[in-house]
mmCIF file of all heavy atoms in Angstrom:
data_model
loop_
_atom_site.group_PDB
_atom_site.id
_atom_site.type_symbol
_atom_site.label_atom_id
_atom_site.label_comp_id
_atom_site.label_asym_id
_atom_site.label_seq_id
_atom_site.Cartn_x
_atom_site.Cartn_y
_atom_site.Cartn_z
ATOM 1 N N THR Y 1 -30.285 -15.266 17.131
ATOM 2 C CA THR Y 1 -29.002 -15.967 17.060
ATOM 3 C C THR Y 1 -29.162 -17.439 17.433
ATOM 4 O O THR Y 1 -28.589 -18.318 16.788
ATOM 5 C CB THR Y 1 -27.964 -15.280 17.967
ATOM 6 O OG1 THR Y 1 -27.841 -13.917 17.569
ATOM 7 C CG2 THR Y 1 -26.614 -15.956 17.889
ATOM 8 N N ALA Y 2 -29.952 -17.707 18.457
ATOM 9 C CA ALA Y 2 -30.168 -19.099 18.888
ATOM 10 C C ALA Y 2 -30.854 -19.903 17.788
ATOM 11 O O ALA Y 2 -30.559 -21.089 17.622
ATOM 12 C CB ALA Y 2 -30.994 -19.131 20.169
ATOM 13 N N LEU Y 3 -31.747 -19.284 17.047
ATOM 14 C CA LEU Y 3 -32.389 -19.979 15.922
ATOM 15 C C LEU Y 3 -31.343 -20.443 14.922
ATOM 16 O O LEU Y 3 -31.392 -21.573 14.435
ATOM 17 C CB LEU Y 3 -33.393 -19.061 15.222
ATOM 18 C CG LEU Y 3 -34.742 -18.903 15.887
ATOM 19 C CD1 LEU Y 3 -35.513 -17.753 15.240
ATOM 20 C CD2 LEU Y 3 -35.534 -20.200 15.802
ATOM 21 N N GLN Y 4 -30.385 -19.581 14.613
ATOM 22 C CA GLN Y 4 -29.328 -19.948 13.672
ATOM 23 C C GLN Y 4 -28.419 -21.027 14.255
ATOM 24 O O GLN Y 4 -28.056 -21.971 13.572
ATOM 25 C CB GLN Y 4 -28.489 -18.728 13.299
ATOM 26 C CG GLN Y 4 -29.244 -17.629 12.618
ATOM 27 C CD GLN Y 4 -30.035 -18.102 11.423
ATOM 28 O OE1 GLN Y 4 -31.247 -17.958 11.398
ATOM 29 N NE2 GLN Y 4 -29.403 -18.667 10.439
ATOM 30 N N HIS Y 5 -28.078 -20.867 15.516
ATOM 31 C CA HIS Y 5 -27.194 -21.837 16.168
ATOM 32 C C HIS Y 5 -27.854 -23.213 16.226
ATOM 33 O O HIS Y 5 -27.228 -24.225 15.917
ATOM 34 C CB HIS Y 5 -26.836 -21.362 17.574
ATOM 35 C CG HIS Y 5 -26.018 -22.343 18.342
ATOM 36 N ND1 HIS Y 5 -24.688 -22.540 18.094
ATOM 37 C CD2 HIS Y 5 -26.355 -23.215 19.324
ATOM 38 C CE1 HIS Y 5 -24.222 -23.483 18.906
ATOM 39 N NE2 HIS Y 5 -25.218 -23.901 19.653
ATOM 40 N N HIS Y 6 -29.120 -23.243 16.600
ATOM 41 C CA HIS Y 6 -29.837 -24.511 16.747
ATOM 42 C C HIS Y 6 -30.021 -25.216 15.402
ATOM 43 O O HIS Y 6 -29.959 -26.441 15.325
ATOM 44 C CB HIS Y 6 -31.186 -24.286 17.420
ATOM 45 C CG HIS Y 6 -31.971 -25.541 17.601
ATOM 46 N ND1 HIS Y 6 -31.545 -26.587 18.394
ATOM 47 C CD2 HIS Y 6 -33.153 -25.940 17.068
ATOM 48 C CE1 HIS Y 6 -32.424 -27.563 18.340
ATOM 49 N NE2 HIS Y 6 -33.410 -27.196 17.550
ATOM 50 N N ALA Y 7 -30.245 -24.440 14.363
ATOM 51 C CA ALA Y 7 -30.450 -25.035 13.039
ATOM 52 C C ALA Y 7 -29.156 -25.589 12.462
ATOM 53 O O ALA Y 7 -29.171 -26.302 11.469
ATOM 54 C CB ALA Y 7 -31.037 -23.984 12.092
ATOM 55 N N GLY Y 8 -28.056 -25.262 13.098
ATOM 56 C CA GLY Y 8 -26.754 -25.695 12.590
ATOM 57 C C GLY Y 8 -26.112 -24.529 11.871
ATOM 58 O O GLY Y 8 -26.773 -23.810 11.138
ATOM 59 N N PRO Y 9 -24.849 -24.292 12.114
ATOM 60 C CA PRO Y 9 -24.191 -23.148 11.503
ATOM 61 C C PRO Y 9 -24.232 -23.223 9.980
ATOM 62 O O PRO Y 9 -23.889 -24.235 9.397
ATOM 63 C CB PRO Y 9 -22.763 -23.201 12.035
ATOM 64 C CG PRO Y 9 -22.615 -24.497 12.742
ATOM 65 C CD PRO Y 9 -23.963 -25.116 12.909
ATOM 66 N N ASP Y 10 -24.708 -22.181 9.389
ATOM 67 C CA ASP Y 10 -24.753 -22.062 7.931
ATOM 68 C C ASP Y 10 -23.810 -20.930 7.563
ATOM 69 O O ASP Y 10 -24.088 -19.775 7.873
ATOM 70 C CB ASP Y 10 -26.180 -21.751 7.471
ATOM 71 C CG ASP Y 10 -26.291 -21.627 5.961
ATOM 72 O OD1 ASP Y 10 -25.246 -21.589 5.277
ATOM 73 O OD2 ASP Y 10 -27.426 -21.550 5.473
ATOM 74 N N PRO Y 11 -22.695 -21.227 6.916
ATOM 75 C CA PRO Y 11 -21.720 -20.185 6.613
ATOM 76 C C PRO Y 11 -22.299 -19.055 5.766
ATOM 77 O O PRO Y 11 -21.806 -17.942 5.791
ATOM 78 C CB PRO Y 11 -20.614 -20.911 5.868
ATOM 79 C CG PRO Y 11 -20.979 -22.340 5.795
ATOM 80 C CD PRO Y 11 -22.298 -22.535 6.461
ATOM 81 N N ALA Y 12 -23.372 -19.326 5.037
ATOM 82 C CA ALA Y 12 -23.983 -18.267 4.224
ATOM 83 C C ALA Y 12 -24.845 -17.336 5.066
ATOM 84 O O ALA Y 12 -25.139 -16.218 4.649
ATOM 85 C CB ALA Y 12 -24.836 -18.888 3.113
ATOM 86 N N TRP Y 13 -25.275 -17.771 6.246
ATOM 87 C CA TRP Y 13 -26.170 -16.967 7.090
ATOM 88 C C TRP Y 13 -25.709 -16.923 8.533
ATOM 89 O O TRP Y 13 -26.469 -17.261 9.436
ATOM 90 C CB TRP Y 13 -27.593 -17.522 7.034
ATOM 91 C CG TRP Y 13 -28.205 -17.438 5.692
ATOM 92 C CD1 TRP Y 13 -28.315 -18.437 4.772
ATOM 93 C CD2 TRP Y 13 -28.751 -16.272 5.072
ATOM 94 N NE1 TRP Y 13 -28.910 -17.971 3.636
ATOM 95 C CE2 TRP Y 13 -29.192 -16.643 3.789
ATOM 96 C CE3 TRP Y 13 -28.915 -14.949 5.480
ATOM 97 C CZ2 TRP Y 13 -29.785 -15.748 2.913
ATOM 98 C CZ3 TRP Y 13 -29.502 -14.060 4.611
ATOM 99 C CH2 TRP Y 13 -29.931 -14.454 3.346
ATOM 100 N N PRO Y 14 -24.472 -16.509 8.821
ATOM 101 C CA PRO Y 14 -24.050 -16.462 10.222
ATOM 102 C C PRO Y 14 -24.748 -15.310 10.957
ATOM 103 O O PRO Y 14 -24.809 -14.184 10.468
ATOM 104 C CB PRO Y 14 -22.543 -16.212 10.121
ATOM 105 C CG PRO Y 14 -22.368 -15.493 8.823
ATOM 106 C CD PRO Y 14 -23.434 -16.027 7.906
ATOM 107 N N ALA Y 15 -25.314 -15.612 12.087
ATOM 108 C CA ALA Y 15 -25.981 -14.593 12.891
ATOM 109 C C ALA Y 15 -24.949 -13.869 13.750
ATOM 110 O O ALA Y 15 -23.935 -14.452 14.140
ATOM 111 C CB ALA Y 15 -27.044 -15.231 13.773
ATOM 112 N N HIS Y 16 -25.228 -12.610 14.056
ATOM 113 C CA HIS Y 16 -24.360 -11.863 14.971
ATOM 114 C C HIS Y 16 -24.312 -12.590 16.312
ATOM 115 O O HIS Y 16 -25.331 -13.005 16.833
ATOM 116 C CB HIS Y 16 -24.913 -10.456 15.219
ATOM 117 C CG HIS Y 16 -24.958 -9.570 14.025
ATOM 118 N ND1 HIS Y 16 -23.967 -9.516 13.083
ATOM 119 C CD2 HIS Y 16 -25.892 -8.676 13.625
ATOM 120 C CE1 HIS Y 16 -24.279 -8.623 12.158
ATOM 121 N NE2 HIS Y 16 -25.453 -8.105 12.458
ATOM 122 N N GLY Y 17 -23.133 -12.736 16.858
ATOM 123 C CA GLY Y 17 -22.972 -13.277 18.200
ATOM 124 C C GLY Y 17 -23.072 -14.774 18.336
ATOM 125 O O GLY Y 17 -23.087 -15.289 19.449
ATOM 126 N N VAL Y 18 -23.130 -15.504 17.235
ATOM 127 C CA VAL Y 18 -23.296 -16.954 17.338
ATOM 128 C C VAL Y 18 -22.134 -17.590 18.100
ATOM 129 O O VAL Y 18 -22.327 -18.555 18.844
ATOM 130 C CB VAL Y 18 -23.517 -17.606 15.950
ATOM 131 C CG1 VAL Y 18 -22.240 -17.673 15.148
ATOM 132 C CG2 VAL Y 18 -24.148 -18.961 16.088
ATOM 133 N N ASP Y 19 -20.952 -17.022 18.000
ATOM 134 C CA ASP Y 19 -19.797 -17.565 18.715
ATOM 135 C C ASP Y 19 -19.947 -17.427 20.233
ATOM 136 O O ASP Y 19 -19.509 -18.289 20.982
ATOM 137 C CB ASP Y 19 -18.506 -16.897 18.241
ATOM 138 C CG ASP Y 19 -18.538 -15.388 18.328
ATOM 139 O OD1 ASP Y 19 -19.626 -14.800 18.138
ATOM 140 O OD2 ASP Y 19 -17.486 -14.775 18.576
ATOM 141 N N ARG Y 20 -20.599 -16.360 20.687
ATOM 142 C CA ARG Y 20 -20.794 -16.154 22.126
ATOM 143 C C ARG Y 20 -22.025 -16.889 22.656
ATOM 144 O O ARG Y 20 -22.220 -16.975 23.868
ATOM 145 C CB ARG Y 20 -20.911 -14.659 22.426
ATOM 146 C CG ARG Y 20 -19.599 -13.915 22.177
ATOM 147 C CD ARG Y 20 -19.747 -12.457 22.469
ATOM 148 N NE ARG Y 20 -20.039 -12.212 23.863
ATOM 149 C CZ ARG Y 20 -19.271 -11.520 24.689
ATOM 150 N NH1 ARG Y 20 -18.147 -11.010 24.246
ATOM 151 N NH2 ARG Y 20 -19.625 -11.322 25.932
ATOM 152 N N MET Y 21 -22.866 -17.408 21.758
ATOM 153 C CA MET Y 21 -24.118 -18.053 22.164
ATOM 154 C C MET Y 21 -23.953 -19.514 22.541
ATOM 155 O O MET Y 21 -24.786 -20.056 23.255
ATOM 156 C CB MET Y 21 -25.140 -17.973 21.020
ATOM 157 C CG MET Y 21 -25.835 -16.657 20.916
ATOM 158 S SD MET Y 21 -26.872 -16.324 22.353
ATOM 159 C CE MET Y 21 -28.027 -17.675 22.231
ATOM 160 N N ARG Y 22 -22.930 -20.149 22.077
ATOM 161 C CA ARG Y 22 -22.793 -21.595 22.263
ATOM 162 C C ARG Y 22 -22.993 -22.035 23.709
ATOM 163 O O ARG Y 22 -23.663 -23.021 23.983
ATOM 164 C CB ARG Y 22 -21.438 -22.063 21.749
ATOM 165 C CG ARG Y 22 -21.348 -22.024 20.248
ATOM 166 C CD ARG Y 22 -20.020 -22.596 19.726
ATOM 167 N NE ARG Y 22 -19.975 -22.428 18.296
ATOM 168 C CZ ARG Y 22 -19.364 -21.408 17.692
ATOM 169 N NH1 ARG Y 22 -18.732 -20.492 18.390
ATOM 170 N NH2 ARG Y 22 -19.370 -21.319 16.378
ATOM 171 N N ARG Y 23 -22.429 -21.301 24.630
ATOM 172 C CA ARG Y 23 -22.498 -21.717 26.040
ATOM 173 C C ARG Y 23 -23.900 -21.606 26.637
ATOM 174 O O ARG Y 23 -24.186 -22.169 27.688
ATOM 175 C CB ARG Y 23 -21.502 -20.922 26.875
ATOM 176 C CG ARG Y 23 -21.815 -19.455 26.945
ATOM 177 C CD ARG Y 23 -20.799 -18.728 27.829
ATOM 178 N NE ARG Y 23 -21.054 -17.314 27.776
ATOM 179 C CZ ARG Y 23 -20.203 -16.424 27.344
ATOM 180 N NH1 ARG Y 23 -19.007 -16.792 26.943
ATOM 181 N NH2 ARG Y 23 -20.519 -15.152 27.331
ATOM 182 N N PHE Y 24 -24.804 -20.872 25.969
ATOM 183 C CA PHE Y 24 -26.174 -20.722 26.470
ATOM 184 C C PHE Y 24 -27.137 -21.705 25.802
ATOM 185 O O PHE Y 24 -28.323 -21.712 26.108
ATOM 186 C CB PHE Y 24 -26.665 -19.287 26.234
ATOM 187 C CG PHE Y 24 -25.768 -18.245 26.827
ATOM 188 C CD1 PHE Y 24 -25.057 -17.380 26.012
ATOM 189 C CD2 PHE Y 24 -25.616 -18.132 28.199
ATOM 190 C CE1 PHE Y 24 -24.220 -16.415 26.549
ATOM 191 C CE2 PHE Y 24 -24.776 -17.175 28.755
ATOM 192 C CZ PHE Y 24 -24.075 -16.313 27.923
ATOM 193 N N CYS Y 25 -26.627 -22.483 24.859
ATOM 194 C CA CYS Y 25 -27.456 -23.419 24.083
ATOM 195 C C CYS Y 25 -26.956 -24.847 24.276
ATOM 196 O O CYS Y 25 -26.443 -25.469 23.361
ATOM 197 C CB CYS Y 25 -27.405 -23.068 22.596
ATOM 198 S SG CYS Y 25 -28.071 -21.475 22.164
#
């Protein structure tokens, strides 16, 4: 999930839990 979050949100490839990950990144 952090890999997806760090790369920038891609609406075509949202990772599970990306919304809850923001505070840890």
